[in-house]
Amino acid sequence: MNLEFDFDVARIEVRPSTSCWGPYSFNFRGRLPDSAGDPIADVDVKSTLNGVETTTDLIDGTPALSSPVVQVKFKYPGDAAKGKHILKFMVTLQGGGVNEFVFGYVEVV
């Protein structure tokens, strides 16, 4: 199955050798209709590994929002969660529009 991602091909590696990864910035400028006139009001970020949700294991705290940029920190989820995690961003604009974006991969090694 080939996935199409909304960001340039990238990979973030999470290893057990450190205790905090990030924050990593995801910039939605140019991906939304008008980020200046209709800024991001809310964002929900979820992660999955092989179709199983891993959000609470991988994402450290609540993502920070400064429209049009979302910052996410990661934590090491343990050996059982090794692999390529996919992030899904559900972005809600101030005007009420909702957009979904996909990032791959956050790789736990």
Side-chain angles (χ1 to χ4, degrees), residues 20-47:
C20 180
W21 297 268
Y24 288 91
S25 295
F26 297 87
N27 192 340
F28 292 91
R29 183 180 313 279
R31 292 176 169 79
L32 298 168
D34 178 10
S35 60
D38 195 8
I40 299 172
D42 189 36
V43 65
D44 184 40
V45 184
K46 298 208 179 295
S47 66

Short mmCIF file of all heavy atoms in Angstrom, two decimals, residues 20-47:
data_model
loop_
_atom_site.label_atom_id
_atom_site.label_comp_id
_atom_site.label_asym_id
_atom_site.label_seq_id
_atom_site.Cartn_x
_atom_site.Cartn_y
_atom_site.Cartn_z
N CYS A 20 14.09 13.43 25.24
CA CYS A 20 13.14 14.35 24.63
C CYS A 20 13.53 14.62 23.19
O CYS A 20 14.70 14.84 22.89
CB CYS A 20 13.12 15.66 25.41
SG CYS A 20 11.97 16.86 24.75
N TRP A 21 12.56 14.59 22.32
CA TRP A 21 12.79 14.84 20.91
C TRP A 21 11.89 15.98 20.47
O TRP A 21 10.67 15.88 20.50
CB TRP A 21 12.47 13.60 20.08
CG TRP A 21 13.36 12.45 20.43
CD1 TRP A 21 14.54 12.13 19.84
CD2 TRP A 21 13.18 11.51 21.46
NE1 TRP A 21 15.10 11.03 20.43
CE2 TRP A 21 14.27 10.62 21.45
CE3 TRP A 21 12.20 11.29 22.44
CZ2 TRP A 21 14.42 9.56 22.32
CZ3 TRP A 21 12.34 10.24 23.31
CH2 TRP A 21 13.44 9.39 23.25
N GLY A 22 12.51 17.06 20.09
CA GLY A 22 11.72 18.18 19.59
C GLY A 22 11.79 19.38 20.50
O GLY A 22 12.63 19.46 21.38
N PRO A 23 10.97 20.33 20.25
CA PRO A 23 9.81 20.18 19.37
C PRO A 23 10.20 20.26 17.89
O PRO A 23 11.14 20.95 17.52
CB PRO A 23 8.92 21.36 19.74
CG PRO A 23 9.86 22.40 20.26
CD PRO A 23 10.99 21.65 20.90
N TYR A 24 9.46 19.51 17.09
CA TYR A 24 9.58 19.56 15.64
C TYR A 24 8.47 20.46 15.13
O TYR A 24 7.32 20.37 15.57
CB TYR A 24 9.46 18.17 15.02
CG TYR A 24 10.68 17.33 15.29
CD1 TYR A 24 10.76 16.51 16.41
CD2 TYR A 24 11.77 17.37 14.43
CE1 TYR A 24 11.88 15.76 16.66
CE2 TYR A 24 12.90 16.61 14.67
CZ TYR A 24 12.95 15.80 15.79
OH TYR A 24 14.06 15.06 16.04
N SER A 25 8.80 21.32 14.17
CA SER A 25 7.82 22.28 13.63
C SER A 25 7.25 21.77 12.31
O SER A 25 7.99 21.36 11.43
CB SER A 25 8.49 23.64 13.41
OG SER A 25 8.88 24.19 14.64
N PHE A 26 5.94 21.82 12.20
CA PHE A 26 5.23 21.47 10.99
C PHE A 26 4.52 22.73 10.51
O PHE A 26 3.64 23.25 11.20
CB PHE A 26 4.22 20.35 11.26
CG PHE A 26 4.87 19.07 11.70
CD1 PHE A 26 5.17 18.86 13.04
CD2 PHE A 26 5.22 18.11 10.77
CE1 PHE A 26 5.78 17.69 13.46
CE2 PHE A 26 5.85 16.94 11.18
CZ PHE A 26 6.13 16.72 12.52
N ASN A 27 4.95 23.24 9.35
CA ASN A 27 4.45 24.52 8.86
C ASN A 27 3.36 24.27 7.81
O ASN A 27 3.60 23.62 6.80
CB ASN A 27 5.60 25.32 8.24
CG ASN A 27 5.23 26.75 7.97
OD1 ASN A 27 4.06 27.11 7.87
ND2 ASN A 27 6.24 27.59 7.83
N PHE A 28 2.17 24.81 8.07
CA PHE A 28 1.03 24.62 7.17
C PHE A 28 0.84 25.80 6.22
O PHE A 28 -0.14 25.84 5.48
CB PHE A 28 -0.24 24.38 7.99
CG PHE A 28 -0.21 23.05 8.71
CD1 PHE A 28 0.29 22.97 9.99
CD2 PHE A 28 -0.64 21.91 8.08
CE1 PHE A 28 0.34 21.75 10.65
CE2 PHE A 28 -0.59 20.68 8.72
CZ PHE A 28 -0.10 20.60 10.01
N ARG A 29 1.78 26.75 6.22
CA ARG A 29 1.70 27.90 5.30
C ARG A 29 1.69 27.36 3.86
O ARG A 29 2.48 26.51 3.49
CB ARG A 29 2.87 28.84 5.49
CG ARG A 29 2.80 30.09 4.60
CD ARG A 29 3.98 31.02 4.80
NE ARG A 29 4.33 31.29 6.18
CZ ARG A 29 3.72 32.18 6.98
NH1 ARG A 29 2.72 32.87 6.52
NH2 ARG A 29 4.12 32.35 8.22
N GLY A 30 0.76 27.84 3.07
CA GLY A 30 0.65 27.40 1.69
C GLY A 30 -0.16 26.13 1.51
O GLY A 30 -0.48 25.76 0.39
N ARG A 31 -0.50 25.47 2.60
CA ARG A 31 -1.30 24.26 2.53
C ARG A 31 -2.77 24.52 2.89
O ARG A 31 -3.61 23.66 2.72
CB ARG A 31 -0.74 23.20 3.46
CG ARG A 31 0.60 22.67 3.00
CD ARG A 31 1.17 21.69 4.01
NE ARG A 31 2.31 20.98 3.50
CZ ARG A 31 3.54 21.46 3.43
NH1 ARG A 31 3.78 22.68 3.82
NH2 ARG A 31 4.54 20.75 2.97
N LEU A 32 -3.02 25.71 3.40
CA LEU A 32 -4.37 26.11 3.81
C LEU A 32 -4.84 27.25 2.92
O LEU A 32 -4.02 27.99 2.36
CB LEU A 32 -4.36 26.53 5.28
CG LEU A 32 -3.95 25.42 6.25
CD1 LEU A 32 -3.71 25.99 7.64
CD2 LEU A 32 -5.03 24.35 6.31
N PRO A 33 -6.14 27.43 2.79
CA PRO A 33 -6.66 28.45 1.87
C PRO A 33 -6.09 29.85 2.09
O PRO A 33 -5.63 30.48 1.16
CB PRO A 33 -8.16 28.43 2.12
CG PRO A 33 -8.43 27.10 2.73
CD PRO A 33 -7.19 26.70 3.46
N ASP A 34 -6.12 30.36 3.32
CA ASP A 34 -5.64 31.72 3.61
C ASP A 34 -5.25 31.77 5.07
O ASP A 34 -6.06 32.09 5.93
CB ASP A 34 -6.73 32.75 3.30
CG ASP A 34 -6.30 34.17 3.64
OD1 ASP A 34 -5.11 34.38 3.94
OD2 ASP A 34 -7.16 35.06 3.62
N SER A 35 -3.99 31.42 5.36
CA SER A 35 -3.57 31.32 6.77
C SER A 35 -3.61 32.66 7.49
O SER A 35 -3.77 32.72 8.70
CB SER A 35 -2.18 30.71 6.86
OG SER A 35 -1.24 31.51 6.18
N ALA A 36 -3.52 33.77 6.76
CA ALA A 36 -3.56 35.08 7.42
C ALA A 36 -5.00 35.47 7.76
O ALA A 36 -5.29 35.96 8.85
CB ALA A 36 -2.92 36.14 6.53
N GLY A 37 -5.93 35.25 6.83
CA GLY A 37 -7.31 35.64 7.04
C GLY A 37 -8.14 34.59 7.76
O GLY A 37 -9.22 34.88 8.26
N ASP A 38 -7.67 33.36 7.79
CA ASP A 38 -8.40 32.27 8.45
C ASP A 38 -7.38 31.37 9.15
O ASP A 38 -7.08 30.27 8.70
CB ASP A 38 -9.21 31.49 7.42
CG ASP A 38 -10.25 30.58 8.04
OD1 ASP A 38 -10.46 30.65 9.27
OD2 ASP A 38 -10.85 29.78 7.30
N PRO A 39 -6.82 31.84 10.27
CA PRO A 39 -5.74 31.10 10.93
C PRO A 39 -6.23 29.80 11.57
O PRO A 39 -7.42 29.58 11.76
CB PRO A 39 -5.25 32.08 12.00
CG PRO A 39 -6.41 32.97 12.26
CD PRO A 39 -7.17 33.07 10.98
N ILE A 40 -5.27 28.97 11.91
CA ILE A 40 -5.57 27.71 12.60
C ILE A 40 -6.06 28.03 14.00
O ILE A 40 -5.41 28.73 14.76
CB ILE A 40 -4.32 26.80 12.66
CG1 ILE A 40 -3.83 26.45 11.26
CG2 ILE A 40 -4.62 25.54 13.46
CD1 ILE A 40 -2.51 25.71 11.23
N ALA A 41 -7.23 27.50 14.35
CA ALA A 41 -7.80 27.70 15.68
C ALA A 41 -7.49 26.52 16.60
O ALA A 41 -7.36 26.69 17.81
CB ALA A 41 -9.31 27.87 15.58
N ASP A 42 -7.36 25.33 16.01
CA ASP A 42 -7.13 24.13 16.82
C ASP A 42 -6.48 23.06 15.95
O ASP A 42 -6.67 23.04 14.73
CB ASP A 42 -8.45 23.60 17.39
CG ASP A 42 -8.27 22.50 18.42
OD1 ASP A 42 -7.29 22.58 19.20
OD2 ASP A 42 -9.08 21.56 18.44
N VAL A 43 -5.73 22.18 16.59
CA VAL A 43 -5.13 21.06 15.87
C VAL A 43 -5.13 19.83 16.77
O VAL A 43 -4.90 19.94 17.98
CB VAL A 43 -3.69 21.39 15.39
CG1 VAL A 43 -2.75 21.61 16.56
CG2 VAL A 43 -3.17 20.32 14.46
N ASP A 44 -5.45 18.71 16.19
CA ASP A 44 -5.40 17.42 16.88
C ASP A 44 -4.41 16.56 16.13
O ASP A 44 -4.52 16.40 14.91
CB ASP A 44 -6.80 16.78 16.89
CG ASP A 44 -6.83 15.50 17.69
OD1 ASP A 44 -6.19 15.43 18.76
OD2 ASP A 44 -7.50 14.54 17.24
N VAL A 45 -3.41 16.03 16.84
CA VAL A 45 -2.38 15.21 16.21
C VAL A 45 -2.47 13.81 16.78
O VAL A 45 -2.44 13.62 17.99
CB VAL A 45 -0.97 15.79 16.44
CG1 VAL A 45 0.07 14.96 15.69
CG2 VAL A 45 -0.89 17.24 16.04
N LYS A 46 -2.58 12.84 15.90
CA LYS A 46 -2.62 11.44 16.31
C LYS A 46 -1.52 10.68 15.58
O LYS A 46 -1.15 11.03 14.47
CB LYS A 46 -3.97 10.82 15.99
CG LYS A 46 -5.12 11.48 16.73
CD LYS A 46 -6.25 10.53 16.95
CE LYS A 46 -7.41 11.15 17.69
NZ LYS A 46 -7.15 11.55 19.03
N SER A 47 -1.01 9.62 16.22
CA SER A 47 0.00 8.78 15.56
C SER A 47 -0.51 7.34 15.52
O SER A 47 -1.25 6.89 16.41
CB SER A 47 1.34 8.85 16.29
OG SER A 47 1.25 8.28 17.57
#
